[in-house]
Amino acid sequence: QVELVESGGGLVQAGGSLRLSCATSGLTLSTYTMGWFRQAPGKEREFVAFIRSDGLTYYSNSVKGRFTISRDSAKNTQYLQMNRVKLEDTAVYFCASRSVWHGSTWQGDYDYWGQGTQVTVSS
């Protein structure tokens, strides 16, 4: 049984940094595509980043150059390093997994989801 558990969310000032973690079980991290999505109040869930099984990464334009997705296969954990955060980064962040090698920006392509972790950016 696959389980994804996010942590690391919280309150951060604009311009600051935060690192989210997604602990996984029931899957081999290096063979899955792992993604991060987010949902702001009153908005639809949107793609943030993914890392493919071969290590290729891809980001939405809104976070490119500020966020970094990575994984530690030995710890079965993936990460989202958030730097130079902005007010508009405030959202619930979700970790997701996809059991195929090629990545996707569409949430419907992901098989398993975590419960989400709240990130709030203050001015």
Side-chain angles (χ1 to χ4, degrees):
Q1 181 178 351
V2 175
E3 186 175 15
L4 309 177
V5 180
E6 303 96 333
S7 61
L11 180 65
V12 58
Q13 280 195 322
S17 298
L18 203 62
R19 189 177 80 159
L20 306 183
S21 300
C22 173
T24 73
S25 60
L27 58 82
T28 303
L29 197 61
S30 61
T31 66
Y32 277 63
T33 288
M34 299 298 297
W36 286 97
F37 290 76
R38 67 186 182 185
Q39 187 167 17
K43 295 187 177 181
E44 294 187 353
R45 190 173 300 185
E46 65 174 5
F47 167 77
V48 175
F50 70 67
I51 181 167
R52 273 182 359 186
S53 57
D54 61 358
L56 182 142
T57 58
Y58 185 79
Y59 301 90
S60 69
N61 287 335
S62 61
V63 307
K64 191 179 301 181
R66 300 188 297 121
F67 292 8
T68 302
I69 188 172
S70 63
R71 66 179 182 229
D72 185 332
S73 297
K75 296 182 178 180
N76 289 323
T77 302
Q78 77 152 345
Y79 303 97
L80 185 69
Q81 178 66 43
M82 305 168 61
N83 296 330
R84 303 195 309 278
V85 296
K86 303 177 181 179
L87 294 176
E88 52 263 42
D89 292 325
T90 293
V92 177
Y93 284 71
F94 297 90
C95 170
S97 67
R98 183 171 190 230
S99 59
V100 293
W101 71 271
H102 50 90
S104 173
T105 62
W106 184 48
Q107 58 179 312
D109 280 338
Y110 288 79
D111 308 303
Y112 297 97
W113 293 81
Q115 81 289 348
T117 186
Q118 176 70 48
V119 172
T120 303
V121 182
S122 64
S123 58

